C-alpha cells in the first residue's frame, strides 16, 4: 500500500521550489502503518486529502517538514530505512492530529477536514481511530514487561501509571526498561500503540523526564490542545536531535595506518610470566617489563616511532593486548603467537567504537571489562561487586558530581540514583542476552544506598 500515491509526484511542487513534488515536499512515500483499523483509516484519510486538497496538502506537508529539517539540517536522507519509514508515519499522524491545512474556508486540521460532511466515508471504527490520533497525546513510556507476540506493559514516565497494550510486533522488538515515545489508542476494546514508536537510549530518560516536567510547570495561558501539541513537538524535536547526535559523528581514522579507529583488546592467559618477559625482551621493537606493568611494541627499535600494541598485565594470569585498530590487533595477534608460542592462550576480544563513547557518555564509575573472557556466573558476579565496591561513595557525573549517598537526600537526587541503577541493570540485561548468560544481580548496589529494589515483573 502506498499512501501518497494519488499526489501528482511529477508535477512541479506547489511550494515554489521549482522541483518536482516527488523530489521536494513529497520526496518520501510514507511507509505502511500496521494495525487493521488504524491502517485503513490513515489510508482513507490521506488518499482523500490528496485528491480533494492536493495543493493545500502539499503546502501543509512542506510546513511540517520545514520545521523538522531545522533540526535534521538536511540529514534526513542519511537515516536508515526503518527510521525514514517512522518519519513518514509520524508525518501523517502530525497532519491528522495537529497539522493545519490552509483551505478556502481557512486553516483546518486534517481531522476536521476528513470528518466533515463529504469526507472520505469513514466507518465508525475508522473515524474513532482518527479521532484518537487527533486527541490522544504522544507520551514518554518505559517498558515494564512484555509477552513476545502478545502484550506489552508500559509505564508512563511522568505519571507512573501502567497500561497493558496488545501488540504483536512491538512486544517482540521492545524489552524491559526500553524507553520510547508513542501514542496509545483504544481500538476494538483494547489498547494499542499507534504506528509511531520513537525509541530513545535509556540514558536519556531522566533528562527527558525533567524537561517534560518543566514544560508542564510552564505558563497556563494556552489551551489544553495547544499545550498537548507543544509537548508533542518538543518530544519530536528531542527525538530528531537524538538521531542527529547519534548518527552524525564522523569515523575516526588512525593517522599511522589509515584504518578506522576501533579500540581493540585481546585477552590472553599466561602460563609462565618469567618466560614471557624473557622472550619479549629479546624483541628490538619492544620496551617494558613485568615490573613496570607491561610492554609496548613500536614500529621502530628501542621505543621509537608509533605504538603498535600495548601489552598490559591484567588480573592473575591475564595479559591484555591493546591496539587502536582491528588491523593492528590482527597483526599483533599473529606477531604475539609467533614470539610467545605456547606461553599464551587466546581467551577473547573486546572491541569499542570510540564514536559510541560520544553518543553515550559514560554514566558509570567503572564498567567491568569482562567481555570475551570465560567467567562463570559466580565469578562475574564477584568481579562486578569488587568493581562497584565503593560506588555508593564515589562522585558520579550523572548525579551532578555527588555520591549516590549524597544524592538520595533530595527527591530529585533519589530519582536520579534509581534511574542510574535501572540503567546499569538494563544495559547488563542487553549484554546478557547477546552473550547467552544470566544477568548480574545489582541488588547489592540498591542495598548500598538503602533503597528498596523494585520487585521483578
Amino acid at each position: 500500500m502506498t499512501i501518497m500515491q494519488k499526489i501528482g509526484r511529477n508535477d512541479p511542487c506547489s511550494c515554489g521550489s521549482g522541483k518536482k513534488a516527488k523530489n521536494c515536499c513529497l520526496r518520501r512515500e510514507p511507509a505502511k502503518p500496521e494495525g487493521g483499523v488504524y491502517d485503513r483509516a490513515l489510508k482513507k484519510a490521506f488518499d482523500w486529502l490528496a485528491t480533494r486538497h492536493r495543493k493545500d496538502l502539499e503546502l501543509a506537508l512542506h510546513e511540517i517538514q520545514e520545521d523538522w529539517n531545522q533540526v535534521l539540517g538536511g540529514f534526513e536522507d542519511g537515516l536508515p530505512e526503518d527510521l525514514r519509514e517512522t518519519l513518514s508515519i509520524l508525518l501523517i499522524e502530525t497532519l491528522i492530529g495537529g497539522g493545519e491545512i490552509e483551505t478556502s474556508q481557512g486553516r483546518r486540521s486534517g481531522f476536521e477536514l476528513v470528518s466533515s460532511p463529504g469526507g472520505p466515508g469513514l466507518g465508525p471504527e475508522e473515524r474513532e481511530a482518527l479521532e484518537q490520533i487527533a486527541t490522544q497525546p504522544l507520551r514518554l513510556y518505559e517498558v515494564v514487561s512484555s509477552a513476545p507476540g502478545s502484550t506489552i506493559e508500559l509505564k508512563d514516565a511522568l505519571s507512573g501509571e501502567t497500561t497493558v497494550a496488545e501488540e504483536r510486533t512491538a512486544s517482540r522488538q521492545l524489552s524491559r526498561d526500553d524507553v520510547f515515545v508513542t501514542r496509545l489508542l483504544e481500538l476494538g476494546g483494547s489498547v494499542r500503540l499507534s504506528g509511531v514508536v520513537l525509541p530513545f537510549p535509556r540514558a536519556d530518560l531522566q533528562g527527558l523526564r525533567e524537561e517534560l516536567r518543566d514544560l508542564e510547570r510552564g505558563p497556563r495561558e494556552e489551551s489544553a490542545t495547544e499545550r498537548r501539541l507543544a509537548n508533542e513537538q518538543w518530544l519530536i524535536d528531542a527525538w530528531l536531535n537524538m538521531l542527529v547526535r547519534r548518527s552524525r559523528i564522523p569515523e575516526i581514522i588512525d593517522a599511522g595506518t589509515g584504518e578506522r579507529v576501533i579500540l581493540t583488546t585481546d585477552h590472553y592467559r599466561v602460563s609462565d610470566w618469567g618466560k614471557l618477559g624473557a622472550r619479549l625482551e629479546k624483541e628490538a621493537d619492544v620496551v617494558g617489563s613485568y615490573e613496570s606493568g607491561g610492554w609496548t611494541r613500536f614500529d621502530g627499535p628501542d621505543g621509537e616511532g608509533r605504538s603498535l600494541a600495548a601489552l598490559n598485565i591484567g588480573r592473575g594470569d591475564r595479559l591484555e593486548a591493546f591496539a587502536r585498530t582491528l588491523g593492528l590487533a590482527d597483526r599483533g595477534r599473529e606477531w604475539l603467537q609467533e614470539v610467545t608460542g605456547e606461553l599464551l592462550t587466546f581467551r577473547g576480544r573486546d572491541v569499542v567504537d570510540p564514536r559510541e563513547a560520544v553518543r553515550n557518555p559514560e554514566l558509570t564509575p567503572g564498567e567491568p571489562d569482562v567481555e570475551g573472557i570465560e567467567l562463570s556466573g559466580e565469578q562475574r558476579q564477584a568481579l562486578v561487586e569488587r568493581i562497584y565496591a565503593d560506588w555508593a561513595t564515589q562522585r558520579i557525573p550523572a548525579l551532578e558530581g555527588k555520591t549516590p549517598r549524597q544524592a538520595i537526600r533530595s527527591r530529585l537526587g533519589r530519582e536520579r540514583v534509581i534511574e542510574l541503577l535501572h540503567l546499569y541493570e538494563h544495559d547488563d540485561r542487553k549484554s546478557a542476552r547477546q552473550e547467552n548468560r544470566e544477568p548480574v544481580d545489582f541488588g547489592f548496589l540498591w542495598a548500598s544506598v538503602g533503597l528498596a529494589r523494585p520487585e521483578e515483573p
Side-chain angles (χ1 to χ4, degrees), residues 53 72 355 358 437 456:
H53 298 274
L72 287 172
R355 295 181 300 175
V358 180
R437 62 170 173 83
E456 295 286 331

Side-chain angles (χ1 to χ4, degrees), residues 122-386:
L122 299 169
E125 292 181 339
E126 295 165 346
R127 181 186 177 90
E128 174 66 15
L130 293 179
E131 185 173 7
Q132 290 195 46
I133 291 172
T135 56
Q136 296 303 310
L138 286 173
R139 292 187 67 85
L140 183 65
Y141 294 95
E142 304 172 61
V143 177
V144 178
S145 63
S146 64
S150 177
T151 61
I152 184 168
E153 184 180 2
L154 305 176
K155 180 172 71 173
D156 188 301
L158 292 188
S159 71
E161 295 180 0
T162 59
T163 305
V164 176
E166 292 186 14
E167 280 295 329
R168 291 191 301 271
T169 302
S171 62
R172 292 189 180 99
Q173 296 174 342
L174 298 168
S175 57
R176 182 183 166 198
D177 286 338
D178 281 350
V179 175
F180 64 97
V181 167
T182 194
R183 196 187 316 273
L184 295 184
L185 310 176
E186 188 171 343
L187 302 174
S190 63
V191 177
R192 299 180 183 276
L193 277 60
S194 81
V196 170
V197 175
L198 311 180
F200 282 90
R202 177 80 198 193
D204 287 0
L205 174 60
Q206 187 61 28
L208 291 170
R209 187 156 44 199
E210 293 176 17
E211 290 282 356
L212 287 169
R213 285 174 178 163
D214 287 343
L215 285 175
E216 290 192 346
R217 288 193 290 264
R220 284 291 182 261
E221 293 82 8
E222 299 174 325
S223 67
T225 298
E226 288 172 331
R227 288 199 301 274
R228 173 179 69 81
L229 294 177
N231 284 2
E232 288 191 3
Q233 189 56 56
W234 186 89
L235 283 169
I236 292 170
D237 287 348
W239 184 68
L240 296 175
N241 271 306
M242 183 273 296
L243 294 182
V244 173
R245 183 184 79 230
R246 290 173 63 84
S247 303
R248 264 191 167 168
I249 303 169
E251 289 188 350
I252 305 172
I253 303 300
D254 177 59
T257 62
E259 299 169 346
R260 178 183 169 191
V261 172
I262 297 291
L263 307 179
T264 308
T265 303
D266 285 341
H267 301 273
Y268 296 90
R269 179 173 292 150
V270 181
S271 62
D272 189 314
W273 284 108
K275 290 181 178 179
L276 176 68
R279 293 189 187 182
L280 290 174
E281 288 166 11
K282 292 180 180 179
E283 300 295 310
D285 54 357
V286 174
V287 297
S289 65
Y290 179 87
E291 291 71 24
S292 66
W295 301 263
T296 302
R297 185 188 182 208
F298 294 90
D299 61 5
D302 300 323
E304 295 180 359
R306 293 177 178 270
S307 168
L308 298 178
L311 309 178
N312 302 309
I313 296 173
R315 300 181 184 91
D317 61 355
R318 298 305 173 96
L319 179 74
E320 300 172 351
F322 171 80
R324 300 184 303 277
T325 73
L326 285 170
L328 285 173
D330 289 340
R331 294 188 290 274
R333 183 178 172 186
E334 292 177 2
W335 168 80
L336 261 180
Q337 290 176 334
E338 181 181 341
V339 170
T340 64
E342 75 289 350
L343 297 177
L344 294 183
T345 303
F346 181 74
R347 304 306 300 165
R349 170 174 286 186
D350 295 337
V351 293
V352 176
D353 185 340
R355 295 181 300 175
E356 288 300 320
V358 180
R359 293 182 180 122
N360 295 303
E362 187 65 64
L363 297 179
T364 68
E367 290 290 347
D369 184 18
V370 295
E371 182 181 349
I373 304 177
E374 294 181 3
L375 296 177
S376 68
E378 294 79 8
Q379 289 172 325
R380 183 179 294 272
Q381 182 71 36
L383 175 58
V384 171
E385 291 186 15
R386 286 202 304 272

Side-chain angles (χ1 to χ4, degrees), residues 376-449:
S376 68
E378 294 79 8
Q379 289 172 325
R380 183 179 294 272
Q381 182 71 36
L383 175 58
V384 171
E385 291 186 15
R386 286 202 304 272
I387 291 172
Y388 284 87
D390 300 322
W391 176 81
T393 56
Q394 288 187 350
R395 297 184 181 277
I396 299 177
L399 303 178
E400 296 185 339
K402 295 180 181 178
T403 71
R405 287 181 181 167
Q406 292 171 334
I408 61 172
R409 295 171 186 169
S410 69
R411 181 197 61 78
L412 180 58
R414 180 186 180 91
E415 187 176 82
R416 287 174 174 170
V417 171
I418 291 173
E419 174 52 33
L420 195 57
L421 289 168
H422 281 309
L423 178 61
Y424 296 169
E425 293 176 325
H426 175 252
D427 288 349
D428 184 67
R429 277 195 298 273
K430 292 181 72 173
S431 296
R433 286 196 299 272
Q434 294 170 357
E435 299 166 14
N436 193 29
R437 62 170 173 83
E438 289 297 315
V440 170
D441 182 355
F442 282 88
F444 70 97
L445 279 188
W446 292 84
S448 71
V449 287

